[in-house]
Amino acid sequence: VSDPRPVGVFDSGIGGLTVLAAIRNALPGENYLYLGDTARLPYGTKSSETVTRYALRAARFLVAQDIKLLVVACNTASAAALPVLEAALLPLPVIGVVIPGAAQAARVSRGAVGVIGTESTIASSTYTRAVLNRRPELRVVTQACPLFVPLAEEGWFDHPVTRDVARIYLAPLLEASVDTVILGCTHYPLLKGAIAQEMGPETNLVDSAEAVAAEVAAYLGKEGRRREAALGGLRVYITDTTERFRRIAQTIIPSGISALELVDLPG
Ligand code: DGL
């Protein structure tokens, strides 16, 4: 069997394209629908109640397009709303980025895990709980890094300012001698170089985009629901004007967006 329906991927905006790119790398034959809720971005500074409300609305838009699986690419939405989304969308399978990233960190850590993410993700403690559920003896140290999002969107991947900001944010993790850092935000894979430089070569960086891609591939393979084709399409929906999105999307995913459409989400 094979299931030709698209995979739905949802994020607060642009950053989730890093997750989409990783999934597409693993599964190029699938068709993808991506929704970036750019009208309500950022999610990372908002309360979990607000993020949950936004996430439900965005998810329902994709579900109405007959997707076979929903990937919540946004760490903030995964951390705040995954159980609510799963319950509301049953029987549709929903995969968030937190569990795959936490599971991988728990597999590789030698004793202490650092978690970096938006303010909302860190305040939720969802990553900490997910790591400790798997390995209660680990130490988990968390740090919100809100400035990383605009720095990544500015394209300052390896800029002196980014290196300064990384040095300040990551100091507590170095101090705590973490051996593994979870990149718990869609934008952070873009700053992997600067983060790696600061943390040093001995530190494992867990890219939650890659971890979720492996999980999606494993799930569709196990269920016999992959679309067996050479190359699928990518249709992108956003909720606010396209120009800024187009410019930044270009740096994350240089080719292959088949269509970009402005949509309004029903309340
Ligand atoms: N997508 C968000 C995340 O992964 C980052 C951007 C935002 O705050 O909306 O946490």
Side-chain angles (χ1 to χ4, degrees), residues 3-9 20 23-24 27-34 65-69 71 216 220 225-236 256 258:
D3 187 340
R5 292 177 300 160
V7 172
V9 179
L20 181 94
I23 300 172
R24 223 178 166 203
L27 297 168
E30 299 293 337
N31 283 315
Y32 295 94
L33 299 182
Y34 180 94
Q65 323 284 316
D66 196 23
I67 53 175
K68 61 180 165 185
L69 167 73
V71 178
V216 170
L220 291 180
R225 288 170 67 178
R226 286 195 184 188
R227 175 177 181 263
E228 306 296 349
L231 199 62
L234 164 58
R235 174 175 280 274
V236 173
S258 335

Side-chain angles (χ1 to χ4, degrees), residues 11-13 41-45 73-76 118 121 149 184-187:
D11 179 45
S12 55
L41 176 90
Y43 281 16
T45 52
C74 180
N75 289 257
T76 302
T118 64
T121 296
V149 168
C185 176
T186 47
H187 290 61

Side-chain angles (χ1 to χ4, degrees), residues 179-203:
D179 57 76
T180 299
V181 175
I182 301 176
L183 307 181
C185 176
T186 47
H187 290 61
Y188 299 178
L190 299 169
L191 305 179
K192 212 184 214 172
I195 295 167
Q197 196 175 7
E198 197 49 37
M199 295 309 300
E202 300 298 308
T203 309

